[in-house]
């Protein structure tokens, strides 16, 4: 059995043609084509196939909707990830700059400390004299 693609179903719905009227048309065509004693069997088989086709179309539409939602969530997650990566990169640069500043201040402090100790020793030596 051939399953109508969702685009055709959507076009039929937009054109005001319901799926029920499409089924009746297909049923009538099948009866005209196959007629005879097997009409009840064929009608039942047609109903089963149409029900399967409808189920598949509904499942396909649901899967398409779910795929679109997942794509949208993925795009949002990618955008959020990009923003966070940019923020991390910026903060890393700031941390490196702060570390450099701390190292420079430590070096200056160490230099001042050495100078202060030398001056203290010198003053202690003068006082001792």
């Amino acid at each position: 059995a051939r399953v109508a693609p969702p685009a055709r179903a959507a076009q039929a719905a937009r054109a005001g043609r319901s799926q029920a009227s499409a089924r009746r048309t297909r049923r009538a065509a099948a009866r005209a084509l196959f007629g005879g004693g097997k009409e009840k069997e064929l009608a039942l088989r047609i109903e089963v196939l149409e029900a399967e086709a409808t189920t598949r179309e509904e499942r396909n539409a649901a899967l398409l909707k779910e795929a679109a939602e997942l794509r949208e969530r993925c795009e949002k997650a990618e955008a959020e990830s990009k923003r966070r990566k940019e923020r991390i990169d910026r903060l890393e640069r700031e941390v490196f700059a702060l570390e450099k500043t701390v190292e420079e201040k430590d070096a200056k402090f160490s230099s001042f400390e050495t100078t202060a100790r030398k001056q203290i020793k010198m003053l202690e030596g003068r006082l001792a004299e």
Side-chain angles (χ1 to χ4, degrees):
R2 184 172 178 214
V3 177
R8 287 189 186 164
Q11 287 173 349
R14 277 188 240 119
R17 207 173 92 191
S18 70
Q19 289 183 350
S21 66
R23 278 191 216 119
R24 283 192 293 269
T25 304
R26 287 191 295 244
R27 245 186 247 139
R31 284 186 190 129
L33 182 63
F34 296 109
K38 295 185 178 183
E39 186 174 315
K40 288 182 183 180
E41 289 177 30
L42 291 175
L44 181 61
R45 179 73 176 144
I46 289 170
E47 286 181 30
V48 169
L49 292 174
E50 286 174 346
E52 288 175 7
T54 302
T55 303
R56 286 182 184 162
E57 288 172 0
E58 290 171 356
R59 178 71 178 145
N60 189 31
L63 289 173
L64 288 172
K65 182 180 178 182
E66 184 179 347
E69 290 172 358
L70 290 174
R71 273 191 218 100
E72 183 179 330
R73 285 177 49 197
C74 184
E75 289 171 0
K76 286 181 181 178
E78 286 175 352
E80 180 68 22
S81 174
K82 184 179 178 183
R83 277 196 318 270
R84 287 183 180 185
K85 183 177 181 343
E86 290 170 354
R87 183 172 180 224
I88 287 171
D89 291 342
R90 181 179 46 84
L91 292 174
E92 281 179 348
R93 286 191 299 273
E94 289 178 16
V95 166
F96 289 136
L98 290 172
E99 286 176 349
K100 184 178 178 184
T101 303
V102 167
E103 288 174 2
E104 289 172 357
K105 287 189 179 192
D106 282 348
K108 286 180 183 178
F109 177 76
S110 189
S111 173
F112 290 134
E113 183 181 24
T114 305
T115 304
R117 286 183 191 209
K118 286 180 185 177
Q119 288 178 351
I120 290 172
K121 279 186 182 182
M122 184 180 73
L123 290 174
E124 285 177 349
R126 286 186 186 171
L127 287 175
E129 292 177 3

